[in-house]
Amino acid sequence: MLNRIRPALGRVLTPIGRTVARTGVSPNAITVIGTAGVAAGALVLFPRGEFFWGTMVITAFVLFDMLDGAVARVTGKISKFGAFLDSTMDRVADAAIFSGLMIGLYRDGQHGLAGAALYCLVAGVVVSYAKARAEGLGYTCNVGIAERAERLIIALVAAGLDGLGVPYVLAIALWVLAALSTVTVGQRFATVYAQAKAAPAADPAGPGSGPGASAASGGSEDEENGEKAHAKAGPGPRR
């Protein structure tokens, strides 16, 4: 849903990307540093119940991580490996955020909410994998009410407000997010099923259906990464 703002986001990030590029830092380094910062904030602060400060740290590094695509574009350092690294690191960051929430909630005795956080983690992985696998098989899967950006915004805003003492907001957000993620998985299954049913001749084993098919999806999970996905579609080698 938030993919519509990509052009505007690109216009904002490109000047910042030029400034960061002058420091000599590579897009891949930005990706790794951003993920490490998110994981540290989530796995150190969230388990201690520091939801507000954890959210602040995570948000800062998420914003920093968004610059990798802008830097890649302005420097021409765009590559399939960069897209692969970015997608993989995003899965690590998502897992850290929801794992940190789960641990913090469990330690606080909120076992039901801890389970909801675990469900959101697993559902998020399935949402991303469903699109990646579908595109590896030659289908399109650009649907979903709760893509990565929406999931992160809901989770982080709710965690931050909970850290400020706003009651029930995190509980509501996690259960809503669990429902939205489930709907998104269903939307993607339905979309791919409709395409497979309409074109059965495309189903038999082919270049996209073997063990290496998942590799063919490369950066397809980046449809949820906003500006980074947009930048990686551009020309030029990223090293």
Side-chain angles (χ1 to χ4, degrees), residues 10 33 55 65-66 86-87 89 92 94 101 114 134 137 142 154 157 159-160 165 172 193 198 200 210-211 222 228:
I33 293 170
T55 298
D65 183 50
M66 291 173 65
D86 190 54
S87 294
M89 291 297 99
V92 172
D94 293 353
L101 283 173
L137 292 170
N142 297 314
I154 292 172
V157 169
I172 293 171
Y193 178 77
D222 284 313
K228 295 184 289 183

PDB file of all heavy atoms in Angstrom, residues 10 33 55 65-66 86-87 89 92 94 101 114 134 137 142 154 157 159-160 165 172 193 198 200 210-211 222 228:
ATOM      1  N   GLY A  10      11.932   8.745  -3.142  1.00  0.00           N
ATOM      2  CA  GLY A  10      13.179   8.796  -3.900  1.00  0.00           C
ATOM      3  C   GLY A  10      13.704  10.212  -4.025  1.00  0.00           C
ATOM      4  O   GLY A  10      14.911  10.456  -3.924  1.00  0.00           O
ATOM      5  N   ILE A  33      25.200  -2.271   8.514  1.00  0.00           N
ATOM      6  CA  ILE A  33      25.178  -1.432   9.714  1.00  0.00           C
ATOM      7  C   ILE A  33      23.739  -1.186  10.166  1.00  0.00           C
ATOM      8  O   ILE A  33      23.425  -1.258  11.361  1.00  0.00           O
ATOM      9  CB  ILE A  33      25.886  -0.094   9.442  1.00  0.00           C
ATOM     10  CG1 ILE A  33      27.378  -0.320   9.220  1.00  0.00           C
ATOM     11  CG2 ILE A  33      25.672   0.872  10.610  1.00  0.00           C
ATOM     12  CD1 ILE A  33      28.124   0.905   8.717  1.00  0.00           C
ATOM     13  N   THR A  55      12.253   1.396  20.345  1.00  0.00           N
ATOM     14  CA  THR A  55      11.641   1.882  19.119  1.00  0.00           C
ATOM     15  C   THR A  55      12.434   3.038  18.522  1.00  0.00           C
ATOM     16  O   THR A  55      12.617   3.118  17.296  1.00  0.00           O
ATOM     17  CB  THR A  55      10.193   2.337  19.390  1.00  0.00           C
ATOM     18  OG1 THR A  55       9.424   1.218  19.834  1.00  0.00           O
ATOM     19  CG2 THR A  55       9.558   2.917  18.131  1.00  0.00           C
ATOM     20  N   ASP A  65      19.138   2.659   7.164  1.00  0.00           N
ATOM     21  CA  ASP A  65      19.184   1.534   6.225  1.00  0.00           C
ATOM     22  C   ASP A  65      18.516   1.878   4.891  1.00  0.00           C
ATOM     23  O   ASP A  65      18.891   1.342   3.855  1.00  0.00           O
ATOM     24  CB  ASP A  65      18.499   0.319   6.860  1.00  0.00           C
ATOM     25  CG  ASP A  65      18.579  -0.917   5.980  1.00  0.00           C
ATOM     26  OD1 ASP A  65      19.683  -1.249   5.525  1.00  0.00           O
ATOM     27  OD2 ASP A  65      17.531  -1.539   5.741  1.00  0.00           O
ATOM     28  N   MET A  66      17.541   2.778   4.926  1.00  0.00           N
ATOM     29  CA  MET A  66      16.848   3.162   3.698  1.00  0.00           C
ATOM     30  C   MET A  66      17.769   3.879   2.715  1.00  0.00           C
ATOM     31  O   MET A  66      17.473   3.971   1.527  1.00  0.00           O
ATOM     32  CB  MET A  66      15.657   4.067   4.032  1.00  0.00           C
ATOM     33  CG  MET A  66      14.519   3.373   4.745  1.00  0.00           C
ATOM     34  SD  MET A  66      13.238   4.525   5.291  1.00  0.00           S
ATOM     35  CE  MET A  66      12.641   5.123   3.724  1.00  0.00           C
ATOM     36  N   ASP A  86      20.382  -7.191   0.786  1.00  0.00           N
ATOM     37  CA  ASP A  86      19.371  -6.326   1.380  1.00  0.00           C
ATOM     38  C   ASP A  86      18.135  -7.116   1.804  1.00  0.00           C
ATOM     39  O   ASP A  86      17.619  -6.947   2.909  1.00  0.00           O
ATOM     40  CB  ASP A  86      18.989  -5.241   0.380  1.00  0.00           C
ATOM     41  CG  ASP A  86      18.127  -4.171   1.011  1.00  0.00           C
ATOM     42  OD1 ASP A  86      18.541  -3.616   2.037  1.00  0.00           O
ATOM     43  OD2 ASP A  86      17.035  -3.905   0.484  1.00  0.00           O
ATOM     44  N   SER A  87      17.658  -7.995   0.924  1.00  0.00           N
ATOM     45  CA  SER A  87      16.486  -8.815   1.251  1.00  0.00           C
ATOM     46  C   SER A  87      16.757  -9.712   2.452  1.00  0.00           C
ATOM     47  O   SER A  87      15.916  -9.858   3.346  1.00  0.00           O
ATOM     48  CB  SER A  87      16.090  -9.676   0.050  1.00  0.00           C
ATOM     49  OG  SER A  87      15.634  -8.879  -1.010  1.00  0.00           O
ATOM     50  N   MET A  89      19.035  -9.299   4.858  1.00  0.00           N
ATOM     51  CA  MET A  89      19.178  -8.503   6.074  1.00  0.00           C
ATOM     52  C   MET A  89      17.832  -7.983   6.577  1.00  0.00           C
ATOM     53  O   MET A  89      17.623  -7.840   7.789  1.00  0.00           O
ATOM     54  CB  MET A  89      20.126  -7.338   5.822  1.00  0.00           C
ATOM     55  CG  MET A  89      21.581  -7.727   5.615  1.00  0.00           C
ATOM     56  SD  MET A  89      22.349  -8.522   7.074  1.00  0.00           S
ATOM     57  CE  MET A  89      22.225 -10.272   6.607  1.00  0.00           C
ATOM     58  N   VAL A  92      16.347 -10.604   8.647  1.00  0.00           N
ATOM     59  CA  VAL A  92      17.009 -10.637   9.948  1.00  0.00           C
ATOM     60  C   VAL A  92      16.456  -9.527  10.852  1.00  0.00           C
ATOM     61  O   VAL A  92      16.154  -9.746  12.036  1.00  0.00           O
ATOM     62  CB  VAL A  92      18.533 -10.485   9.788  1.00  0.00           C
ATOM     63  CG1 VAL A  92      19.212 -10.318  11.153  1.00  0.00           C
ATOM     64  CG2 VAL A  92      19.117 -11.691   9.053  1.00  0.00           C
ATOM     65  N   ASP A  94      13.529  -7.944  10.676  1.00  0.00           N
ATOM     66  CA  ASP A  94      12.149  -8.235  11.062  1.00  0.00           C
ATOM     67  C   ASP A  94      12.095  -9.282  12.169  1.00  0.00           C
ATOM     68  O   ASP A  94      11.331  -9.150  13.136  1.00  0.00           O
ATOM     69  CB  ASP A  94      11.357  -8.737   9.848  1.00  0.00           C
ATOM     70  CG  ASP A  94      11.171  -7.668   8.785  1.00  0.00           C
ATOM     71  OD1 ASP A  94      11.541  -6.504   9.036  1.00  0.00           O
ATOM     72  OD2 ASP A  94      10.666  -8.005   7.692  1.00  0.00           O
ATOM     73  N   LEU A 101      10.189  -8.183  20.853  1.00  0.00           N
ATOM     74  CA  LEU A 101       8.871  -7.942  21.433  1.00  0.00           C
ATOM     75  C   LEU A 101       8.351  -9.179  22.150  1.00  0.00           C
ATOM     76  O   LEU A 101       7.820  -9.099  23.263  1.00  0.00           O
ATOM     77  CB  LEU A 101       7.889  -7.529  20.335  1.00  0.00           C
ATOM     78  CG  LEU A 101       7.973  -6.096  19.813  1.00  0.00           C
ATOM     79  CD1 LEU A 101       7.046  -5.912  18.623  1.00  0.00           C
ATOM     80  CD2 LEU A 101       7.608  -5.105  20.918  1.00  0.00           C
ATOM     81  N   ALA A 114       2.784 -12.382  23.675  1.00  0.00           N
ATOM     82  CA  ALA A 114       4.050 -12.942  23.190  1.00  0.00           C
ATOM     83  C   ALA A 114       3.774 -13.913  22.044  1.00  0.00           C
ATOM     84  O   ALA A 114       4.497 -13.938  21.041  1.00  0.00           O
ATOM     85  CB  ALA A 114       4.796 -13.650  24.322  1.00  0.00           C
ATOM     86  N   ALA A 134       6.563 -16.971  -5.808  1.00  0.00           N
ATOM     87  CA  ALA A 134       5.657 -16.798  -6.946  1.00  0.00           C
ATOM     88  C   ALA A 134       6.396 -16.193  -8.131  1.00  0.00           C
ATOM     89  O   ALA A 134       6.261 -16.659  -9.265  1.00  0.00           O
ATOM     90  CB  ALA A 134       4.485 -15.909  -6.546  1.00  0.00           C
ATOM     91  N   LEU A 137       8.598 -18.490  -9.943  1.00  0.00           N
ATOM     92  CA  LEU A 137       7.880 -19.415 -10.819  1.00  0.00           C
ATOM     93  C   LEU A 137       7.265 -18.714 -12.029  1.00  0.00           C
ATOM     94  O   LEU A 137       6.600 -19.347 -12.838  1.00  0.00           O
ATOM     95  CB  LEU A 137       6.780 -20.125 -10.024  1.00  0.00           C
ATOM     96  CG  LEU A 137       7.276 -21.096  -8.951  1.00  0.00           C
ATOM     97  CD1 LEU A 137       6.113 -21.542  -8.067  1.00  0.00           C
ATOM     98  CD2 LEU A 137       7.955 -22.302  -9.580  1.00  0.00           C
ATOM     99  N   ASN A 142       1.847  -8.883  -6.852  1.00  0.00           N
ATOM    100  CA  ASN A 142       1.920  -7.544  -6.289  1.00  0.00           C
ATOM    101  C   ASN A 142       0.626  -7.168  -5.566  1.00  0.00           C
ATOM    102  O   ASN A 142      -0.026  -6.188  -5.907  1.00  0.00           O
ATOM    103  CB  ASN A 142       2.213  -6.524  -7.406  1.00  0.00           C
ATOM    104  CG  ASN A 142       3.562  -6.765  -8.049  1.00  0.00           C
ATOM    105  OD1 ASN A 142       4.558  -6.981  -7.359  1.00  0.00           O
ATOM    106  ND2 ASN A 142       3.603  -6.749  -9.374  1.00  0.00           N
ATOM    107  N   ILE A 154       3.181  -0.297  11.944  1.00  0.00           N
ATOM    108  CA  ILE A 154       2.204  -0.675  12.972  1.00  0.00           C
ATOM    109  C   ILE A 154       2.909  -1.163  14.235  1.00  0.00           C
ATOM    110  O   ILE A 154       2.591  -0.735  15.355  1.00  0.00           O
ATOM    111  CB  ILE A 154       1.256  -1.764  12.436  1.00  0.00           C
ATOM    112  CG1 ILE A 154       0.356  -1.197  11.343  1.00  0.00           C
ATOM    113  CG2 ILE A 154       0.400  -2.344  13.571  1.00  0.00           C
ATOM    114  CD1 ILE A 154      -0.485  -2.239  10.625  1.00  0.00           C
ATOM    115  N   VAL A 157       5.209   1.852  15.937  1.00  0.00           N
ATOM    116  CA  VAL A 157       4.400   2.920  16.538  1.00  0.00           C
ATOM    117  C   VAL A 157       3.713   2.411  17.807  1.00  0.00           C
ATOM    118  O   VAL A 157       3.708   3.080  18.841  1.00  0.00           O
ATOM    119  CB  VAL A 157       3.349   3.443  15.536  1.00  0.00           C
ATOM    120  CG1 VAL A 157       2.346   4.358  16.237  1.00  0.00           C
ATOM    121  CG2 VAL A 157       4.043   4.202  14.409  1.00  0.00           C
ATOM    122  N   ALA A 159       4.639  -0.143  19.732  1.00  0.00           N
ATOM    123  CA  ALA A 159       5.630  -0.408  20.776  1.00  0.00           C
ATOM    124  C   ALA A 159       6.086   0.892  21.431  1.00  0.00           C
ATOM    125  O   ALA A 159       6.247   0.967  22.656  1.00  0.00           O
ATOM    126  CB  ALA A 159       6.827  -1.152  20.186  1.00  0.00           C
ATOM    127  N   GLY A 160       6.307   1.923  20.608  1.00  0.00           N
ATOM    128  CA  GLY A 160       6.724   3.205  21.166  1.00  0.00           C
ATOM    129  C   GLY A 160       5.664   3.800  22.073  1.00  0.00           C
ATOM    130  O   GLY A 160       5.979   4.303  23.165  1.00  0.00           O
ATOM    131  N   GLY A 165       3.456   4.445  27.998  1.00  0.00           N
ATOM    132  CA  GLY A 165       2.397   4.180  28.956  1.00  0.00           C
ATOM    133  C   GLY A 165       0.989   4.188  28.407  1.00  0.00           C
ATOM    134  O   GLY A 165       0.020   4.138  29.171  1.00  0.00           O
ATOM    135  N   ILE A 172      -3.647  -4.315  20.873  1.00  0.00           N
ATOM    136  CA  ILE A 172      -4.522  -4.119  19.712  1.00  0.00           C
ATOM    137  C   ILE A 172      -3.716  -4.223  18.425  1.00  0.00           C
ATOM    138  O   ILE A 172      -4.121  -4.886  17.460  1.00  0.00           O
ATOM    139  CB  ILE A 172      -5.230  -2.754  19.795  1.00  0.00           C
ATOM    140  CG1 ILE A 172      -6.210  -2.738  20.978  1.00  0.00           C
ATOM    141  CG2 ILE A 172      -5.958  -2.443  18.487  1.00  0.00           C
ATOM    142  CD1 ILE A 172      -6.799  -1.375  21.270  1.00  0.00           C
ATOM    143  N   TYR A 193      -2.918 -18.632  -7.319  1.00  0.00           N
ATOM    144  CA  TYR A 193      -3.791 -19.737  -7.717  1.00  0.00           C
ATOM    145  C   TYR A 193      -4.585 -19.374  -8.972  1.00  0.00           C
ATOM    146  O   TYR A 193      -4.740 -20.196  -9.889  1.00  0.00           O
ATOM    147  CB  TYR A 193      -4.758 -20.085  -6.581  1.00  0.00           C
ATOM    148  CG  TYR A 193      -5.732 -21.181  -6.940  1.00  0.00           C
ATOM    149  CD1 TYR A 193      -5.331 -22.518  -6.966  1.00  0.00           C
ATOM    150  CD2 TYR A 193      -7.053 -20.873  -7.264  1.00  0.00           C
ATOM    151  CE1 TYR A 193      -6.230 -23.522  -7.317  1.00  0.00           C
ATOM    152  CE2 TYR A 193      -7.952 -21.866  -7.603  1.00  0.00           C
ATOM    153  CZ  TYR A 193      -7.530 -23.187  -7.625  1.00  0.00           C
ATOM    154  OH  TYR A 193      -8.420 -24.176  -7.975  1.00  0.00           O
ATOM    155  N   ALA A 198      -5.462 -20.249 -14.660  1.00  0.00           N
ATOM    156  CA  ALA A 198      -5.714 -19.673 -15.976  1.00  0.00           C
ATOM    157  C   ALA A 198      -4.691 -20.096 -17.005  1.00  0.00           C
ATOM    158  O   ALA A 198      -4.958 -20.086 -18.208  1.00  0.00           O
ATOM    159  CB  ALA A 198      -5.738 -18.147 -15.881  1.00  0.00           C
ATOM    160  N   PRO A 200      -2.519 -23.312 -17.056  1.00  0.00           N
ATOM    161  CA  PRO A 200      -1.984 -24.581 -16.549  1.00  0.00           C
ATOM    162  C   PRO A 200      -0.747 -25.049 -17.289  1.00  0.00           C
ATOM    163  O   PRO A 200       0.083 -25.762 -16.739  1.00  0.00           O
ATOM    164  CB  PRO A 200      -3.143 -25.554 -16.741  1.00  0.00           C
ATOM    165  CG  PRO A 200      -3.981 -24.937 -17.819  1.00  0.00           C
ATOM    166  CD  PRO A 200      -3.873 -23.465 -17.613  1.00  0.00           C
ATOM    167  N   GLY A 210      12.643 -25.638 -10.215  1.00  0.00           N
ATOM    168  CA  GLY A 210      13.620 -26.540  -9.635  1.00  0.00           C
ATOM    169  C   GLY A 210      14.138 -26.043  -8.313  1.00  0.00           C
ATOM    170  O   GLY A 210      13.705 -25.024  -7.788  1.00  0.00           O
ATOM    171  N   PRO A 211      15.111 -26.768  -7.743  1.00  0.00           N
ATOM    172  CA  PRO A 211      15.650 -26.389  -6.446  1.00  0.00           C
ATOM    173  C   PRO A 211      16.234 -24.996  -6.438  1.00  0.00           C
ATOM    174  O   PRO A 211      16.293 -24.363  -5.401  1.00  0.00           O
ATOM    175  CB  PRO A 211      16.735 -27.453  -6.197  1.00  0.00           C
ATOM    176  CG  PRO A 211      16.331 -28.608  -7.051  1.00  0.00           C
ATOM    177  CD  PRO A 211      15.687 -28.019  -8.247  1.00  0.00           C
ATOM    178  N   ASP A 222      11.926  -7.380  -2.145  1.00  0.00           N
ATOM    179  CA  ASP A 222      12.134  -5.965  -1.909  1.00  0.00           C
ATOM    180  C   ASP A 222      10.976  -5.103  -2.349  1.00  0.00           C
ATOM    181  O   ASP A 222      11.083  -3.889  -2.328  1.00  0.00           O
ATOM    182  CB  ASP A 222      13.397  -5.496  -2.630  1.00  0.00           C
ATOM    183  CG  ASP A 222      14.640  -5.929  -1.896  1.00  0.00           C
ATOM    184  OD1 ASP A 222      14.668  -5.742  -0.681  1.00  0.00           O
ATOM    185  OD2 ASP A 222      15.546  -6.469  -2.527  1.00  0.00           O
ATOM    186  N   LYS A 228      14.572   1.410  -1.524  1.00  0.00           N
ATOM    187  CA  LYS A 228      15.660   0.484  -1.817  1.00  0.00           C
ATOM    188  C   LYS A 228      15.317  -0.385  -3.008  1.00  0.00           C
ATOM    189  O   LYS A 228      16.144  -0.610  -3.886  1.00  0.00           O
ATOM    190  CB  LYS A 228      15.951  -0.382  -0.596  1.00  0.00           C
ATOM    191  CG  LYS A 228      16.473   0.420   0.567  1.00  0.00           C
ATOM    192  CD  LYS A 228      16.848  -0.474   1.707  1.00  0.00           C
ATOM    193  CE  LYS A 228      15.625  -1.064   2.347  1.00  0.00           C
ATOM    194  NZ  LYS A 228      15.929  -1.876   3.506  1.00  0.00           N
TER     195      LYS A 228
END
